[in-house]
Amino acid sequence: MNISTKLQRIATMAKEHPSRAFTNLAHHIDLEFLREAFRLTRKNGAPGVDGVTGEEYEKNLEVNLQSLLDRFKAGTYRAPDVRRVHIPKGRGKTRPLGIPTFEDKVLQRAVAMILEAVYEQDFLPCSFGFRPGRSAHQALAEIRSTLMSMGGGWVVEADIKDCFGAFEHEWMRKILDRRIRDGVLIRTIGKWLNAGIMEEGQRTKPTKGTPQGGVISPLLANIFLHEVLDAWFHQCAKPLIGGRAELVRFAEDFVILCDRKEDAERFYKGIFPRFEKFGLVLHPEKTKLVPFKRPPHGGPNESESWGFLGFTHYWTKSRKGHWVIFRKTMASRLSRALNAIGEWCRTHRHLPVKVQHQILSRKLNGHCAYYGITGNSVALVKFRRGIWGRWMKWLRRRSQAAYAKNWSWWSRFHERYPLPPARAIHSIFSRT
């Protein structure tokens, strides 16, 4: 039986028996299964605490995978410590990122494939993050479509404090127990939850949360938040209101869209105790209720812009004079991206100009791959101009002679090394 057939059988059973708890799943993970998990694991990622890279692990792949399988089946596999680094988050803040060992990533990938086959049958259409075939742009399209059909409304915008680091392990086990009672899988997941964290030579033992960066972490987060938020919203909270309300969640970020103010206020008051019950805390300043009615209906002062997934959502007039919802890059995200470009140009100005041009072009294309949506052309052009300006600034500082270059020289340089056009790649809606 090949891997896709195994996963399909698990998915079919999970769909046909939504209340069934699976007790015998680990046997599906065999040597062929681990080979597939290895294939799906990124090989060029940063190494963990053991320093072993994907390329080094592959040199003796069959022996390594057999050893991993034997330890997993026997229950003697020990989850290695997770190396923690901090990545910039903006405004001088950083986000902790866990880096497991490569072997641990392979096993996490294998277990995640099994869990995903089960929980994809339970997950609701309102969740989009870290799920196969579902993207941030689909979440954005769903938000716009819902609000346009409502004629605007009220938006409950929420922010969970340190979501990945705040999961209560006991609650995580209780939630998993409803669907997964395979002893081998549960013990292995428990080892990952309790794995030590190495940071600057110091080892700490976590009492809650799961290190953001592990392959299994996003799936565990989705399982946790499905129970805490998604299922509660659709099964318990939504049936009690009088108007229309929709939830859109991408990983730990979510919004609740309501057509009536009183319903939005009930959700706003209700989500704080709901999350506190499971040990999660909503940021009191970033969690807010935003009026977002179509301006002619609610007046120009009753519609506020708001941000989600890096975009500011706002009402504006279309070319035909109708009120429509547009999105633009959030000012903080644009500033952060340009600061990162400037820092890169400063630290890499010694590279050949041709190489710099190639890398900056890729960075611009990568930015447009996410922020390039219809209606965001002004921010895209601003980002492209910002790249050019910062690149020129640091090229001039390569030598004193560079300051003597006149405008015509720089113009010819621009023609020789043009940056790609900043264009909207995702035309996710048509202009009204």
Side-chain angles (χ1 to χ4, degrees):
M1 186 184 302
N2 59 35
I3 296 169
S4 60
T5 304
K6 290 179 180 179
L7 295 178
Q8 185 58 49
R9 285 189 61 183
I10 296 172
T12 300
M13 287 188 291
K15 187 174 183 178
E16 292 176 349
H17 306 280
S19 60
R20 174 181 176 178
F22 290 83
T23 59
N24 190 19
L25 292 173
H27 76 277
H28 290 292
I29 299 179
D30 54 18
L31 198 56
E32 181 187 10
F33 206 96
L34 288 181
R35 289 195 195 100
E36 178 64 10
F38 169 82
R39 186 186 69 82
L40 295 174
T41 304
R42 190 161 63 96
K43 312 300 186 297
N44 58 351
V49 293
D50 61 357
V52 177
T53 64
E55 290 78 7
E56 293 171 342
Y57 192 84
E58 189 175 11
K59 292 177 181 178
N60 203 15
L61 181 60
E62 291 301 313
V63 174
N64 288 333
L65 292 182
Q66 186 63 58
S67 172
L68 176 61
L69 179 63
D70 293 342
R71 284 175 283 141
F72 169 69
K73 296 286 189 178
T76 58
Y77 180 79
R78 298 184 61 185
D81 294 340
V82 176
R83 183 166 68 90
R84 172 174 283 177
V85 297
H86 291 265
I87 58 176
K89 188 180 178 181
R91 299 181 181 179
K93 298 181 180 179
T94 61
R95 180 192 298 273
L97 182 68
I99 304 177
T101 64
F102 183 81
E103 182 177 69
D104 205 40
K105 292 178 184 178
V106 172
L107 186 56
Q108 286 191 27
R109 174 70 65 186
V111 173
M113 290 162 63
I114 295 288
L115 296 182
E116 191 175 84
V118 174
Y119 282 100
E120 272 300 314
Q121 317 314 311
D122 297 347
F123 290 158
L124 300 174
C126 64
S127 66
F128 291 86
F130 302 107
R131 293 183 59 191
R134 302 178 71 81
S135 68
H137 294 101
Q138 291 175 326
L140 292 168
E142 180 67 20
I143 290 171
R144 181 183 185 276
S145 174
T146 299
L147 288 172
M148 287 292 291
S149 65
M150 288 180 177
W154 281 264
V155 178
V156 179
E157 182 186 357
D159 182 273
I160 305 175
K161 278 187 176 181
D162 187 24
C163 181
F164 281 86
F167 292 134
E168 295 285 352
H169 289 177
E170 189 60 32
W171 272 116
M172 186 79 251
R173 293 186 181 94
K174 289 180 180 179
I175 292 172
L176 284 172
D177 186 65
R178 297 179 183 179
R179 286 296 251 167
I180 308 296
R181 294 180 186 171
D182 184 297
V184 176
L185 291 184
I186 290 299
R187 283 192 296 271
T188 303
I189 294 172
K191 292 174 182 179
W192 286 325
L193 293 176
N194 295 316
I197 297 175
M198 289 293 296
E199 184 175 359
E200 297 181 351
Q202 299 294 322
R203 185 179 187 272
T204 57
K205 194 77 170 178
T207 58
K208 58 183 180 178
T210 176
Q212 188 170 356
V215 178
I216 199 72
S217 297
L219 179 55
L220 292 180
N222 270 337
I223 293 171
F224 198 93
L225 292 176
H226 167 78
E227 179 70 24
V228 175
L229 179 63
D230 303 356
W232 167 80
F233 176 85
H234 285 90
Q235 297 171 11
C236 302
K238 187 176 177 179
L240 299 179
I241 65 172
R244 180 183 175 188
E246 301 296 340
L247 167 69
V248 177
R249 180 176 65 83
F250 187 89
E252 74 271 28
D253 299 320
F254 70 93
V255 292
I256 300 175
L257 316 172
C258 303
D259 63 350
R260 302 197 319 172
K261 184 178 181 180
E262 54 267 36
D263 293 335
E265 290 175 340
R266 289 183 66 181
F267 280 120
Y268 178 77
K269 295 177 182 178
I271 58 176
F272 283 92
R274 175 64 182 177
F275 277 80
E276 288 174 0
K277 174 183 176 181
F278 293 88
L280 298 177
V281 178
L282 295 176
H283 200 295
E285 296 177 359
K286 296 181 180 180
T287 301
K288 52 189 177 181
L289 177 59
V290 181
F292 199 65
K293 294 296 291 183
R294 183 185 289 125
H297 290 229
N301 296 325
E302 292 190 23
S303 180
E304 301 178 9
S305 62
W306 53 280
F308 186 66
L309 296 181
F311 290 92
T312 296
H313 301 242
Y314 64 101
W315 286 100
T316 188
K317 286 286 188 74
S318 70
R319 292 179 179 178
K320 295 183 179 180
H322 303 298
W323 284 105
V324 294
I325 298 173
F326 268 27
R327 278 72 57 86
K328 62 182 178 180
T329 309
M330 290 175 60
S332 60
R333 297 292 183 91
L334 183 60
S335 176
R336 185 198 311 177
L338 287 175
N339 288 339
I341 291 292
E343 181 63 17
W344 186 91
C345 291
R346 182 186 72 83
T347 56
H348 294 83
R349 63 184 184 272
H350 61 281
L351 294 176
V353 173
K354 184 177 181 180
V355 175
Q356 293 187 48
H357 173 255
Q358 292 172 345
I359 296 175
L360 289 174
S361 295
R362 288 199 296 267
K363 290 180 180 293
L364 175 57
N365 287 333
H367 183 87
C368 290
Y370 183 75
Y371 291 102
I373 65 173
T374 306
N376 195 30
S377 58
V378 173
L380 295 177
V381 170
K382 185 175 181 180
F383 183 73
R384 184 178 184 273
R385 289 175 178 172
I387 292 179
W388 177 253
R390 285 157 178 78
W391 190 25
M392 294 302 98
K393 170 185 174 180
W394 290 107
L395 282 180
R396 289 189 180 99
R397 298 193 180 187
R398 281 166 46 122
S399 67
Q400 293 297 323
Y403 283 105
K405 304 295 184 183
N406 56 34
W407 176 251
S408 62
W409 189 95
W410 286 109
S411 180
R412 292 194 301 273
F413 179 89
H414 193 182
E415 292 177 359
R416 184 176 180 182
Y417 298 104
L419 291 173
R423 59 191 181 89
I425 296 175
H426 304 281
S427 296
I428 57 176
F429 61 87
S430 58
R431 294 181 185 273
T432 305

